[in-house]
Amino acid sequence: MQRNMLFFNRLVAVVGIVALLGPMLPLEARTRKGDRYLAEGRKHEDKREWDAAVECYEQALSTDPSEMVYQMAATKARFQAGAMHQDQGMKLRSQGKLGEALLEFQKAFALDPSSSVAEQEIVRTQEMIQRERQKVLETGKETPPEERGLTPIEEARKEAEDRIDRILPVPELRPLNPLPRNLKLNGTTAKVLYETVAKIAGINIVWDPDFQNPSKNSLNVDLDNTTLEQALDDIALQTKSFWKPLSANTIFVTNDTQTKHHDFDDQVTQIFYLSNINVPQQIQEIVNVVRSVTELQRITAFNAQNAIVVRGEADKVALAEAVIHDLDKPAPEVQVDIMVLETDSVFDRQLSAAIATGGLNVPINFSPRSSIQVPTSSTASSTTTTTTSTTSTTTTPTTTTGSTSTTPGAPIPLSNVGHLSSSDFSVVLPNALLQATLSDTKTKVLQAPQLRTVDNVKAELKIGQREPTASGSYQPGVAGVGVNPLVNTQFTYIDVGVNVNLTAHVHDNGDISLHIELDISNIAGTVNLGGINEPIIGQRKVTHDIRLREGEVNLIAGLIDTTDSKQVTGIPGLSSIPLLGYLFKGDSVDKERDEIMIAVVPHIIRRPTITAENLSPKAVGNQTTVKLRYAPLPGEEPAAAPAAAAPAPAPGGAVAGTIPASGAAAAPPETAPPGAPGGALMPPATAPPIPGTPGAPGGPPTAAAAPNLPPSAPASVHFTPGQIDTSPSGVFTVGLAVDHADDLQSAQIQVQFDPKVLQLTSVAPGGLLEVDGQQPTLTKNVMNESGSATIEMLRTPGTPGVRASGLLCTLHFQAVGKGAATITVPSLLLRNSQGQVIGKGTPQVAVTVK
């Protein structure tokens, strides 16, 4: 009883200590609700539904923010969701849908604020939107979607490509149709020629004070169906002068000499970024080519950015641009399928049903009886073992007597030779054997590696292991006995397995030249050399130079090794007896066959990108001066006029309808008003915004709208985007955009939605009322139980109203159930600074949750 009470008291003490320390011990971090959200998020993650996965992980994290599992899952999902929206934004932007792309990038940044890529794409897309709006205001028309989606870098590259394409080759003499404007001057000077063309074209001329007319003052010029630049070039060639533009309507003219070119040629600096070449050696080769062709002295490579920096005359730099553009091309790529097929077949048959199948080998052993053997005796000896301890000493005697050996083949006295009998000899009789065995082994080894390589770049493939082998030895400084030979031996490693070295070159007709070094090796055994076991390498090596068509199968190696052996063993004579001889012999048959085949199949992944423009020559001037000539831009080609009868001669040596020799310029034909270059029409005073861009009908919202946008109609309101598809628990954002707001000061909005399907989580200003830096006041009352919300936005009293188009506010929703719902605005009033209503509407957007 006392023992039980003692145990009970100890148990109570332990329970009390645990109860006291309980609040101090850390609690289990994970919760059932959080685990449920975690499991649901992982299901969405398996389906690549990253937005829904983020929502589930965030809910799990809200149950226990300290749980590391929830934190890791949420961080990963936010990263993946941000990357997904970035990819969608890039696709939309390439299609010219800049506003929708901006919304995707904003979603990506909201999911992962640490993403610098999303932040950069937001800024770049906003710049593109502003650029397109400016183009609409200037030209009065929209840009095609394929041009609208070009980034600033891509746009500059496209302009460079267009400019390079307009460089003309060496001129060809071709008949031209007459133009309405024909110019013929007879008996005039160089200055009169320039001034006459300048008067007609409406440009100014700045003369070099040192300009000298050529010795021949009586010049005749006949210019028909030519552009302004072609006419100036023709006059410069005839008068041995050169001209250069100073501004849009002014040129400078001086004599064509090396000194004048040195003094007046414009110097430009340009950086060319190579997008397809990243090897420093290739960059330096391009620099050497450009320096040799263009005679540019100030040209250098910057390998860290794969860039080439050039400074020189404008035409030389333009020629360098054309050369670099033609050389900076993606290298062709080849994928080679290598198939190594090896088969081994071993057949072994052994058949024996006989006595002594290996022949008769019966030794007779001599084992004499002990009575006739030589007696063997030994002297008795005694051994005394003494054991000493602390208490007593004990002595034990041991006696050994002689013995007689009965080993077979023991010696016997000669006197006992006559007593030998058959009992002194023994023999071992052969056993009977019945054996019938068959072994048939077949092995097939298939290795099919694929190797992808760039044109003229060596590629290596190694599959296997590295085996050490002794390559040399040295004498130790201190000699000694028992020194390990490994201490004095140097080792190298041999690659054993499948080793491929491949260099490919793609020809312009699609053929592929291959240099292949194929080595297939294995460990065939070991050999001891100097106390070290060295591996024996079995090797199959092929070095090949071939030229194939794409997809052509080529057998580069094939070897068949066949070995047949037959062995017969038995008793001589008896094994030769017909039929009965099988009882006294055995035979075995071995057949081995080893076959190996190696084949390659090349495939072109990327072909050479050499176009007809790359192969066409370009006119670059003469031996001393680089001068490029450009074709007219589209729309600048002179229009052909119907052929007219030859005019009658007029007094003064001039032709009727042409400029008289006195140099007085005829009135130019009726063209566009001043300021419209090339006769183009001036853009209208106002231009509609681009559909699909912020501030335009159907366009997504943006944080900044262009101010001072002239309204072409009363203010209107619409949702963007116009259709929403999401998943359960998904989150999305819709924007309420205003078009053509004039003096917008405040807005009152009522929103209705289905509370069984959607929940309004937050409302934020969209940026329209913040175009001048003013922060509007936003008041909201959201009632998710009834599916309604009231929003009021007001600018600071006393500040002018906004005259622009853009995003008024953004509404953030979360799906709570499946089904179709509609977000409507039954009442919306826009007021100006005088309190007058300047716009109203009832926009709506359809939402599908599935």
Side-chain angles (χ1 to χ4, degrees):
M1 183 66 180
Q2 183 179 2
R3 187 175 181 179
N4 293 337
M5 289 299 297
L6 180 60
F7 175 78
F8 179 78
N9 293 336
R10 291 179 178 178
L11 181 61
V12 171
V14 171
V15 173
I17 293 174
V18 173
L20 292 175
L21 296 179
M24 301 175 59
L25 297 176
L27 297 177
E28 181 66 26
R30 302 176 67 173
T31 63
R32 289 186 176 180
K33 187 175 182 181
D35 289 345
R36 186 170 63 253
Y37 286 129
L38 180 65
E40 184 177 354
R42 287 175 177 171
K43 292 180 180 179
H44 291 297
E45 183 176 339
D46 294 338
K47 298 178 182 179
R48 319 297 293 180
E49 298 173 351
W50 294 111
D51 287 337
V54 168
E55 180 64 22
C56 293
Y57 291 149
E58 291 292 344
Q59 292 178 356
L61 191 60
S62 63
T63 61
D64 189 354
S66 63
E67 173 54 40
M68 187 60 66
V69 175
Y70 301 158
Q71 294 178 8
M72 294 174 60
T75 302
K76 175 186 175 182
R78 281 196 294 266
F79 175 80
Q80 295 289 352
M84 178 190 67
H85 286 291
Q86 289 178 21
D87 294 341
Q88 293 177 356
M90 297 293 288
K91 294 178 181 179
L92 291 172
R93 192 172 66 184
S94 64
Q95 299 171 1
K97 301 177 181 179
L98 302 182
E100 298 179 14
L102 178 61
L103 188 60
E104 292 295 332
F105 291 137
Q106 289 174 342
K107 290 180 180 179
F109 184 74
L111 288 167
D112 187 8
S114 63
S115 174
S116 59
V117 176
E119 184 177 4
Q120 292 174 356
E121 296 301 334
I122 289 175
V123 175
R124 183 178 290 114
T125 307
Q126 288 177 344
E127 293 176 353
M128 295 170 62
I129 291 173
Q130 187 64 26
R131 177 195 66 188
E132 297 306 317
R133 292 176 61 83
Q134 189 66 27
K135 286 184 179 180
V136 170
L137 293 177
E138 293 176 355
T139 62
K141 59 181 181 180
E142 300 178 3
T143 306
E146 59 273 10
E147 296 183 8
R148 191 185 310 162
L150 296 177
T151 63
I153 296 178
E154 294 172 344
E155 185 181 27
R157 187 173 300 165
K158 183 177 182 299
E159 293 177 355
E161 293 176 355
D162 295 340
R163 182 168 60 253
I164 293 172
D165 292 339
R166 290 190 292 111
I167 298 178
L168 294 178
V170 178
E172 296 181 8
L173 184 60
R174 294 181 180 181
L176 300 176
N177 294 326
L179 286 172
R181 180 187 299 167
N182 298 330
L183 176 63
K184 178 179 290 187
L185 295 176
N186 299 326
T188 184
T189 62
K191 284 193 173 183
V192 172
L193 291 176
Y194 276 111
E195 290 174 352
T196 301
V197 173
K199 291 286 185 181
I200 296 176
I203 61 175
N204 304 318
I205 299 179
V206 176
W207 294 97
D208 181 12
D210 299 332
F211 179 77
Q212 297 179 358
N213 284 316
S215 59
K216 183 180 180 181
N217 293 328
S218 180
L219 300 174
N220 300 323
V221 176
D222 190 357
L223 302 174
D224 294 340
N225 197 24
T226 59
T227 62
L228 174 61
E229 292 186 359
Q230 291 173 351
L232 294 175
D233 288 340
D234 293 344
I235 295 174
L237 179 63
Q238 191 169 357
T239 59
K240 295 182 180 180
S241 60
F242 86 91
W243 62 276
K244 71 171 188 177
L246 296 180
S247 64
N249 59 350
T250 304
I251 64 172
F252 174 81
V253 180
T254 186
N255 293 106
D256 188 8
T257 62
Q258 286 290 336
T259 303
K260 294 300 182 181
H261 277 286
H262 184 272
D263 294 340
F264 295 107
D265 277 342
D266 293 330
Q267 295 275 324
V268 297
T269 300
Q270 189 169 354
I271 302 176
F272 303 100
Y273 294 94
L274 307 179
S275 58
N276 299 300
I277 295 176
N278 52 12
V279 180
Q281 179 183 355
Q282 296 179 349
I283 298 176
Q284 189 59 44
E285 290 178 357
I286 292 181
V287 170
N288 296 336
V289 170
V290 173
R291 181 183 290 115
S292 176
V293 172
T294 63
E295 298 182 356
L296 284 168
Q297 301 302 322
R298 296 178 176 87
I299 175 173
T300 184
F302 184 57
N303 296 329
Q305 295 290 337
N306 294 335
I308 298 177
V309 184
V310 179
R311 179 180 174 230
E313 292 83 358
D315 283 340
K316 288 185 178 180
V317 174
L319 178 59
E321 181 181 21
V323 174
I324 293 175
H325 176 269
D326 287 349
L327 295 179
D328 183 23
K329 293 183 177 295
E333 294 187 40
V334 177
Q335 176 176 299
V336 180
D337 298 337
I338 303 174
M339 293 180 293
V340 181
L341 180 62
E342 182 177 2
T343 59
D344 294 335
S345 177
V346 179
F347 178 82
D348 184 8
R349 189 203 68 188
Q350 293 184 358
L351 182 60
S352 299
I355 300 175
T357 56
L360 192 60
N361 184 10
V362 182
I364 300 176
N365 299 321
F366 177 62
S367 55
R369 293 164 290 168
S370 60
S371 59
I372 64 175
Q373 293 184 20
V374 176
T376 301
S377 62
S378 58
T379 303
S381 62
S382 62
T383 302
T384 302
T385 303
T386 303
T387 304
T388 304
S389 65
T390 57
T391 57
S392 63
T393 301
T394 304
T395 301
T396 304
T398 302
T399 302
T400 303
T401 60
S403 61
T404 303
S405 175
T406 59
T407 304
I412 62 174
L414 292 177
S415 59
N416 293 333
V417 173
H419 299 286
L420 294 177
S421 64
S422 59
S423 61
D424 296 324
F425 298 89
S426 62
V427 65
V428 178
L429 298 178
N431 298 321
L433 175 66
L434 176 60
Q435 180 180 8
T437 61
L438 177 65
S439 175
D440 190 359
T441 304
K442 295 181 180 180
T443 304
K444 181 174 68 174
V445 179
L446 175 63
Q447 295 174 331
Q450 292 182 335
L451 190 60
R452 180 169 177 171
T453 178
V454 181
D455 188 75
N456 286 329
V457 176
K458 183 179 179 180
E460 295 184 359
L461 175 66
K462 298 181 184 296
I463 303 176
Q465 62 273 0
R466 306 191 70 192
E467 291 291 335
T469 180
S471 59
S473 62
Y474 62 91
Q475 182 68 28
V478 179
V481 179
V483 178
N484 192 330
L486 296 178
V487 177
N488 307 329
T489 306
Q490 298 174 347
F491 288 89
T492 58
Y493 289 85
I494 300 176
D495 294 318
V496 177
V498 179
N499 304 310
V500 182
N501 293 331
L502 175 67
T503 303
H505 173 64
V506 180
H507 300 274
D508 55 356
N509 63 348
D511 288 354
I512 305 169
S513 293
L514 298 176
H515 174 77
I516 300 179
E517 296 179 2
L518 181 61
D519 182 4
I520 303 174
S521 56
N522 62 336
I523 303 297
T526 59
V527 60
N528 189 284
L529 299 176
I532 301 175
N533 289 329
E534 296 284 351
I536 301 175
I537 308 298
Q539 189 178 54
R540 298 179 178 93
K541 186 173 183 179
V542 178
T543 300
H544 226 37
D545 287 285
I546 52 178
R547 179 165 175 167
L548 305 173
R549 294 187 301 272
E550 181 182 8
E552 181 180 356
V553 180
N554 182 65
L555 181 65
I556 64 175
L559 177 64
I560 299 176
D561 186 7
T562 302
T563 302
D564 293 340
S565 62
K566 183 176 182 180
Q567 183 179 5
V568 178
T569 59
I571 301 175
L574 296 179
S575 61
S576 302
I577 300 175
L579 298 178
L580 295 178
Y582 286 103
L583 300 176
F584 304 98
K585 70 176 180 179
D587 66 345
S588 63
V589 176
D590 295 331
K591 295 182 179 180
E592 297 182 5
R593 179 183 178 89
D594 187 4
E595 182 177 357
I596 184 172
M597 183 182 67
I598 305 173
V600 295
V601 184
H603 303 280
I604 298 178
I605 305 300
R606 181 181 289 112
R607 293 181 177 272
T609 54
I610 300 176
T611 62
E613 289 77 10
N614 302 140
L615 301 176
S616 63
K618 297 177 175 61
V620 296
N622 52 38
Q623 182 68 27
T624 58
T625 305
V626 174
K627 176 65 176 177
L628 300 183
R629 303 173 63 201
Y630 293 90
L633 289 171
E636 291 185 355
E637 295 85 353
V655 178
T658 62
I659 305 301
S662 60
E670 188 174 347
T671 58
L681 296 178
M682 292 292 291
T686 61
I690 303 174
T693 59
T702 182
N708 301 324
L709 180 65
S712 59
S716 60
V717 186
H718 63 90
F719 274 116
T720 177
Q723 174 69 33
I724 300 293
D725 292 329
T726 185
S727 60
S729 302
V731 294
F732 62 91
T733 301
V734 294
L736 195 59
V738 178
D739 298 328
H740 310 308
D742 188 6
D743 192 22
L744 177 61
Q745 185 71 18
S746 64
Q748 292 83 33
I749 311 168
Q750 291 184 359
V751 182
Q752 291 184 352
F753 52 89
D754 188 354
K756 297 181 180 179
V757 180
L758 303 175
Q759 294 288 320
L760 180 59
T761 58
S762 63
V763 181
L768 176 61
L769 299 180
E770 304 175 2
V771 293
D772 54 357
Q774 298 292 331
Q775 295 293 331
T777 302
L778 188 146
T779 304
K780 60 181 179 179
N781 183 18
V782 179
M783 295 172 289
N784 283 318
E785 296 80 4
S786 59
S788 62
T790 303
I791 305 169
E792 183 174 358
M793 303 179 66
L794 177 65
R795 284 174 57 85
T796 304
T799 58
V802 176
R803 188 183 184 192
S805 296
L807 188 63
L808 182 62
C809 64
T810 58
L811 308 178
H812 303 275
F813 286 90
Q814 177 183 355
V816 296
K818 294 184 178 181
T822 304
I823 303 173
T824 61
V825 178
S827 175
L828 185 145
L829 296 178
L830 303 177
R831 301 182 184 273
N832 59 11
S833 57
Q834 305 299 324
Q836 300 173 350
V837 177
I838 60 173
K840 60 178 64 176
T842 57
Q844 62 183 11
V845 57
V847 180
T848 303
V849 182
K850 54 183 178 180

